[in-house]
Amino acid sequence: MTTASTTAAPARGRGALALAVAIPVLLFLSLVSWAFASPVGSSPDDDFHLPSIWCGLGERPGLCAPGSEPETRSVPTPLTDAACFAFKPEVSGSCWNPSETGMSDTPRVNVGLYPPLFYGTMSIFASDDIQTSVLVIRIVNSALTVGVLSAVFFALPRRLRPALVVSAVGSAVPLGMFVAASTNPSAWAYISAATVWVCLYGAMLTDGRRRWVLAALAVLGGVMGAGARADSAAYALLSIVLAVILGARKGRSMWAAAAAAIVIAIAAVGFYLLARQGSAVVTGLSLDPVPLTIDQHISNFLNIPTLLAGALGGWGLGWLDTYMPSVVSTLSLMAAAGAIFVGARGMTPRRVIAFALSLTALYLVPFVLLAQSQAMVGAQVQPRYILPLLVIFLGVASVGVDIERSWTVSRITFAGVALSVAMVVALHVGIRRYTTGVDDPALSLGARAEWWWNGIPSPTLVWAAGSAALILAFVLLGVVQHRALAAARFSTNETSNRDVTPA
C-alpha cells in the first residue's frame, strides 16, 4: 500500500463521518423552520389535539381538570380558541390571544377516540406557557423524525438504505414536513410508515447485532405509529406482511424479525381496539351520511389520485386553507413518479407482489373509507390519512438490489432541485399565510407582518435558513452518492485487474 493511499483512507473516513453528521443536522434544521412557520393551532384539528396533549397525563393543576360533562375537560382558555384563523385564509395568526387567563370546558378532547401514547408523551412538554410548549413539542417531533430515520439508515444494510431515503424524502414536500414538525399525531404515523417494513425486511437480511438493532427499531416505529393513530396501527400490520413477502426465505434466520413482528402486531391490535377512531373503517367518518349512488362511487374511484396528489401539495396545508401554487405539487409529483420509475428496474416476483399490494392499499383504503363515510373525494378523507401509505409505497418501489447504482448523481440532482424548489415555495407561502393572511401578496415575509413569534428571528430569516438547509442537504446527498458510485467503479476495476492473467 502506498503512502498516499494510507494517508487518504483516514481523510475519507473523516469526510464520511462529517457527511453522516451534517446531513441529519441540515434536515433537522429544515424541519425546525416548519415548526416556526405557523402559529399555535395551525395543524389540522389542533382544537382537538392541543387539549388532548394538555390532558394526555390526566388531571394536572392549571393544565387539565374534569369538565362539566363526562366527555369534556377543562383546559387553559387559549387552547380552546387557538384555531381562530381556521378556514379563513385571509385572517393572520394575530387573531389568537395567548394571554387569556382561566380554564374553559371543551368537548374537543381525546376521551378514548385516539390511542393515548402520542398525547401522553407530548404532554410531558405541556405547561402554562402555551406558545413555548407548542414550539418545544414541534421541535421534539422534528428531532424524533430525523433521529429515528437516521438510526434506521445506519442500521440498515447498504442495499436497503436508498429505499428508506426515497420513501421518507420523496413523500416529504410539503405535507410530510408540515406534519413531522407539528403537534399532530400524524407526525408519528409518518415515522412509523417509513421504518417498520424496512426494518423488519432488514432484520431478515442481516445477522448478529445489526439484526437485533433493526428488530428493536421496527418495534419502536410500530409502537409509535399504533400509539398515535388507529389507522397507523393497521398500516403497521400491512408493513409486516410486506416485509414477509420481500424477505422471508427458507434457511434464513427469522427469529429477530418474527419476535419484532409479534410485538408490533400485539401493540397494533391493542391500540386499534382501544381507540374508537379505528371503527371509522367500518362505520365511516360522516355522522349523518346520505347513501352514494353508483355513479358517485365510480367518480370517487376515478378521483382517488386527487388525494395522492394532495399529499404532495395538491391540497392546502394546515386546516386545508393554505393553498399551494401548482409548481409545488407538480415538482413533488415529478420527483415521486421519477422515484417509482427508477425503482422499477429488475422486478422479481416477490417485488411485484409487494409493489402491487402496497399500491392496492394506497388506492383502495381511501376508496373504502369514502364509501363507508358516504362521502365524495374532497370531503371527510384528507391526504394526511393516506400519507403513510404513500411513504410505504415509495419505499417498496425502491428495494431493488442495484437501486443504489440506479440513483446516479444526475437523478439525485433532478430530484433535489425539484423538491428544493417545491419546499422553498411551500414554506414561503405557509409563512405568508399566517403573518398577513393570503390577502396580502407581498414578497417580503417581514413586510406588513401582523403576527410572528416573540424573540424568534424574522420570518424571512427562518424561511431562508430552512430553505438553505434542505438545499445543502441534497447537495451533500449528491456528494455521498458520487463517492459511493466512484468506490463501486474502483472496486469493479480492481477485481477486473486481479482477474487478468499475465501474458
Side-chain angles (χ1 to χ4, degrees):
M1 182 178 291
T2 65
T3 304
S5 62
T6 304
T7 306
R12 286 195 297 270
R14 289 192 296 270
L17 178 61
L19 290 170
V21 173
I23 293 174
V25 168
L26 289 168
L27 293 175
F28 170 70
L29 292 176
S30 188
L31 282 181
V32 168
S33 70
W34 281 95
F36 288 119
S38 57
V40 173
S42 60
S43 71
D45 298 323
D46 252 353
D47 63 332
F48 175 90
H49 297 306
L50 290 177
S52 299
I53 289 173
W54 259 248
C55 291
L57 292 177
E59 298 176 19
R60 289 188 290 173
L63 301 181
C64 181
S68 57
E69 301 291 337
E71 297 292 309
T72 67
R73 297 292 184 270
S74 182
V75 297
T77 298
L79 291 178
T80 62
D81 60 0
C84 55
F85 40 72
F87 310 118
K88 304 171 185 175
E90 73 284 352
V91 176
S92 72
S94 63
C95 66
W96 180 59
N97 181 13
S99 62
E100 284 186 284
T101 58
M103 305 279 282
S104 297
D105 267 17
T106 178
R108 296 276 290 164
V109 67
N110 187 45
V111 185
L113 182 61
Y114 278 69
L117 183 61
F118 174 84
Y119 297 123
T121 304
M122 295 298 104
S123 190
I124 296 171
F125 308 103
S127 72
D128 54 3
D129 186 345
I130 293 173
Q131 293 189 94
T132 299
S133 297
V134 166
L135 284 176
V136 169
I137 291 169
R138 291 178 179 179
I139 293 171
V140 166
N141 279 329
S142 300
L144 280 173
T145 301
V146 175
V148 172
L149 293 181
S150 297
V152 171
F153 178 87
F154 291 113
L156 284 172
R158 184 162 184 162
R159 57 166 289 193
L160 291 184
R161 290 175 178 177
L164 174 70
V165 174
V166 170
S167 67
V169 176
S171 59
V173 182
L175 182 59
M177 298 189 78
F178 180 85
V179 299
S182 75
T183 52
N184 195 292
S186 293
W188 283 19
Y190 182 78
I191 296 172
S192 179
T195 57
V196 174
W197 75 272
V198 77
C199 285
L200 289 176
Y201 183 22
M204 298 176 190
L205 298 180
T206 55
D207 52 23
R209 183 182 301 176
R210 174 175 287 189
R211 172 189 299 164
W212 291 101
V213 169
L214 285 168
L217 288 170
V219 171
L220 174 63
V223 171
M224 286 180 68
R229 294 185 58 93
D231 51 5
S232 186
Y235 300 157
L237 296 178
L238 171 65
S239 294
I240 293 173
V241 174
L242 291 170
V244 170
I245 293 172
L246 290 167
R249 297 287 193 280
K250 187 176 181 180
R252 179 179 291 171
S253 177
M254 302 282 291
W255 287 109
I262 291 171
V263 173
I264 294 169
I266 293 173
V269 172
F271 279 122
Y272 186 90
L273 296 177
L274 187 65
R276 298 198 309 273
Q277 181 200 26
S279 65
V281 175
V282 177
T283 63
L285 298 169
S286 179
L287 298 178
D288 187 23
V290 176
L292 298 181
T293 65
I294 296 298
D295 288 343
Q296 287 175 317
H297 283 300
I298 293 174
S299 177
N300 273 346
F301 187 81
L302 296 176
N303 283 291
I304 291 298
T306 301
L307 289 169
L308 308 182
L312 299 174
W315 283 36
L317 295 182
W319 290 78
L320 306 180
D321 58 7
T322 306
Y323 303 105
M324 296 288 109
S326 59
V327 67
V328 175
S329 59
T330 299
L331 292 175
S332 295
L333 279 167
M334 288 172 62
I340 295 169
F341 284 114
V342 170
R345 290 184 57 198
M347 281 281 194
T348 63
R350 286 175 178 266
R351 286 190 62 204
V352 170
I353 295 171
F355 182 92
L357 178 59
S358 59
L359 179 58
T360 301
L362 178 62
Y363 207 94
L364 287 188
V365 166
F367 175 75
V368 171
L369 189 53
L370 285 166
Q372 294 295 334
S373 303
Q374 306 290 1
M376 298 296 294
V377 170
Q380 302 295 341
V381 179
Q382 300 179 24
R384 63 189 173 94
Y385 300 164
I386 60 172
L387 176 63
L389 289 172
L390 178 60
V391 175
I392 293 171
F393 173 64
L394 288 177
V396 170
S398 304
V399 292
V401 175
D402 62 343
I403 187 67
E404 187 175 32
R405 293 179 185 236
S406 298
W407 275 102
T408 61
V409 175
S410 61
R411 286 173 175 167
I412 289 179
T413 301
F414 172 83
V417 170
L419 292 176
S420 294
V421 172
M423 187 272 197
V424 168
V425 174
L427 184 58
H428 189 281
V429 171
I431 294 176
R432 167 57 62 192
R433 181 260 179 270
Y434 292 107
T435 54
T436 65
V438 298
D439 54 342
D440 188 336
L443 182 62
S444 172
L445 292 172
R448 300 182 294 279
E450 301 167 9
W451 164 84
W452 191 242
W453 304 95
N454 294 324
I456 300 300
S458 72
T460 299
L461 182 58
V462 168
W463 168 70
S467 301
L470 185 67
I471 293 170
L472 185 54
F474 276 118
V475 170
L476 296 184
L477 279 172
V479 171
V480 170
Q481 185 64 359
H482 174 73
R483 290 186 172 187
L485 293 176
R489 287 193 297 269
F490 177 78
S491 176
T492 301
N493 291 337
E494 285 289 295
T495 302
S496 300
N497 291 337
R498 285 196 299 269
D499 291 340
V500 173
T501 303

